[in-house]
Amino acid sequence: MAETIADSFKSKVSEDDQEEALHFARVVAAFRFYRIYSFERVERAEKNFERLSKRHKELIPDFLPHLAELRHCIEHNYEVIKVMLQHTGDMFENRETYTSTNGHEQVTGFDMEKVKTTLKQFVRDWSSEGKAERDACYSPIIREIEELFPRTEIDPDSVAVLVPGAGLGRLAFEIARKGYVSQGNEFSLFMLIASHFVLNRSPCTDCFTVYPWLSNFNNLKCSSDQTRSIKFPDINPSNLPAGSSFTMIAGDFLEVYQTPDCWDCVATCYFIDTAHNIIAYVETIYKILKPGGFWINLGPLLYHFENFPDEPSIELSYETLKRVIKDVGFSMLKEKKDIPSTYLQEPRSMMKYEYDCVFFVCQKPLEDPKSSINNENVS
């Protein structure tokens, strides 16, 4: 099964696609820069401590030992990252295109935020501590799939479910565990590298340890909360039932999925607000669903490109989005608002963010009226 999952990560690229190759190299460089970047933050804290008066230093005798512990944890995280990067070469068919670089990739602060977020994603998707977040987001979607396609009445391996924005793959994995044909799609190379690692290089449960909260210097109830570890994965990804079909596909959702009428269900969780143009997402989901197929969604509308001046972004209210969904052709079968959910939340922090998410189920008509109109015009 592990070989099947690994094969699904392969992505063909042209030999002259240097822009994509350089992007891959920059992501790898960001992971490799993690140790230096994190040490610089600790060194800044140490310098600020040295500026204190002797009396003030004596009031916080545990400050420097805590920084030493942070360095130890950073070193450990970096060892995990190095193991993770050892296996990036088998993610793509054209390995030379992705590994041949000039060694001068420019790593940005935004890239390093992505690295830190990736470490926290191990908590959300693949640790026992992340179960509460997963249950709030993934369980309603999985329950809905089981209601729409009951395994007592339908052979689940005849039902194809797509999970765009799959992250580290846990939702798509759980859908496959239920017996459905499940495919995750992810664009971020940070997520793809990490998901490839956990899905294909985890020999047993809780075999890896990371310290995900090292970058949290604010709102600590205890200093030890910053150096608290988690183990992953809480379940062995290779222990899927015999005959399971689970794949992960790299690439932009709008570019990869263009074939009409081929999916029974599209399940989106914290995904639709990643769009530059959310209307294009809605239209694509409608297009690729089979007639009578279902779209299940849960999440907020935190538009990812809102504050990027050089990136196009269309921000719609949910009220407007709902109208667009219906105008595209969907029938809304179910809708629940104000579903509380967190994302990468440190449970012991003094500050917590909670989203009031919307959950809805839409269906593509068995007969597409737009297709009928088009056919009449052609005739």
Side-chain angles (χ1 to χ4, degrees):
M1 185 61 201
E3 290 182 2
T4 303
I5 296 173
D7 288 343
S8 72
F9 275 90
K10 298 187 185 299
S11 175
K12 292 183 179 179
V13 294
S14 58
E15 291 187 2
D16 60 347
D17 196 354
Q18 291 302 312
E19 183 178 349
E20 193 167 352
L22 290 173
H23 175 60
F24 181 85
R26 195 184 80 187
V27 172
V28 172
F31 277 116
R32 288 176 174 159
F33 191 59
Y34 168 81
R35 179 179 179 274
I36 295 174
Y37 176 86
S38 301
F39 274 6
E40 286 176 349
R41 177 62 182 89
V42 176
E43 288 167 4
R44 190 164 86 241
E46 190 171 46
K47 288 178 181 178
N48 290 335
F49 175 83
E50 293 302 330
R51 293 188 178 99
L52 297 177
S53 66
K54 180 180 179 181
R55 183 173 67 86
H56 286 178
K57 289 178 182 178
E58 290 173 347
L59 290 173
I60 47 174
D62 296 332
F63 192 85
L64 290 180
H66 176 65
L67 296 186
E69 180 65 15
L70 283 177
R71 287 191 174 93
H72 170 77
C73 296
I74 290 167
E75 290 280 13
H76 178 90
N77 280 357
Y78 187 56
E79 291 302 312
V80 175
I81 287 173
K82 287 194 295 184
V83 174
M84 184 169 66
L85 294 180
Q86 287 175 2
H87 305 291
T88 57
D90 60 354
M91 289 175 62
F92 301 95
E93 291 179 357
N94 194 344
R95 182 181 301 190
E96 286 301 316
T97 300
Y98 281 88
T99 56
S100 297
T101 66
N102 58 19
H104 299 289
E105 295 75 29
Q106 184 67 39
V107 176
T108 66
F110 182 76
D111 294 329
M112 298 314 301
E113 288 300 319
K114 291 287 189 181
V115 172
K116 292 186 289 186
T117 297
T118 301
L119 292 176
K120 295 175 184 178
Q121 286 283 356
F122 286 124
V123 184
R124 175 179 171 85
D125 261 18
W126 292 102
S127 79
S128 57
E129 186 165 317
K131 185 177 185 302
E133 275 199 358
R134 291 196 301 273
D135 286 348
C137 298
Y138 300 165
S139 293
I141 293 174
I142 295 170
R143 285 196 300 267
E144 192 64 35
I145 292 172
E146 291 182 298
E147 288 180 15
L148 294 171
F149 306 99
R151 288 175 291 168
T152 56
E153 302 174 15
I154 301 174
D155 188 358
D157 63 12
S158 67
V159 178
V161 182
L162 174 64
V163 183
L168 298 197
R170 184 60 180 263
L171 175 57
F173 172 83
E174 292 295 339
I175 292 170
R177 280 221 302 167
K178 298 293 184 180
Y180 303 101
V181 176
S182 178
Q183 183 170 106
N185 163 241
E186 179 56 50
F187 176 74
S188 167
L189 278 173
F190 292 95
M191 296 291 106
L192 287 166
I193 288 172
S195 60
H196 179 264
F197 170 62
V198 71
L199 288 169
N200 293 283
R201 305 296 172 180
S202 300
C204 59
T205 60
D206 292 338
C207 53
F208 299 107
T209 300
V210 292
Y211 299 87
W213 316 116
L214 299 180
S215 60
N216 294 4
F217 282 81
N218 297 319
N219 292 303
L220 296 168
K221 291 180 181 177
C222 301
S223 297
S224 58
D225 292 342
Q226 193 177 15
T227 55
R228 189 163 57 87
S229 66
I230 65 101
K231 294 183 180 297
F232 72 94
D234 63 321
I235 185 173
N236 192 331
S238 64
N239 289 343
L240 282 171
S244 298
S245 178
F246 170 40
T247 54
M248 287 284 289
I249 298 297
D252 185 295
F253 169 65
L254 296 178
E255 295 177 4
V256 174
Y257 298 95
Q258 299 182 5
T259 305
D261 306 337
C262 57
W263 294 94
D264 297 288
C265 180
V266 175
T268 54
C269 183
Y270 275 76
F271 170 69
I272 58 175
D273 55 2
T274 66
H276 289 278
N277 177 2
I278 195 171
I279 301 173
Y281 272 15
V282 176
E283 289 182 331
T284 298
I285 293 170
Y286 186 89
K287 174 184 177 180
I288 65 177
L289 278 172
K290 296 177 182 178
F294 299 93
W295 173 22
I296 306 169
N297 175 78
L298 189 149
L301 290 174
L302 180 67
Y303 291 102
H304 287 209
F305 297 101
E306 176 195 2
N307 296 314
F308 290 82
D310 297 329
E311 297 279 1
S313 180
I314 300 296
E315 300 89 31
L316 304 182
S317 68
Y318 176 65
E319 179 186 34
T320 302
L321 175 62
K322 183 178 176 181
R323 187 175 68 245
V324 168
I325 290 171
K326 292 179 178 180
D327 287 345
V328 166
F330 280 109
S331 298
M332 188 164 285
L333 306 181
K334 186 179 293 187
E335 177 186 38
K336 295 180 181 178
K337 299 179 182 178
D338 302 325
I339 296 178
S341 173
T342 61
Y343 193 87
L344 304 182
Q345 180 64 64
E346 157 50 311
R348 301 187 186 182
S349 174
M350 297 170 69
M351 181 179 67
K352 295 180 173 62
Y353 289 102
E354 184 176 83
Y355 296 98
D356 283 334
C357 295
V358 62
F359 173 80
F360 60 73
V361 181
C362 296
Q363 185 176 26
K364 179 177 178 177
L366 286 168
E367 293 287 339
D368 187 352
K370 296 179 182 178
S371 298
S372 301
I373 294 172
N374 292 335
N375 291 335
E376 291 175 3
N377 291 337
V378 170
S379 61

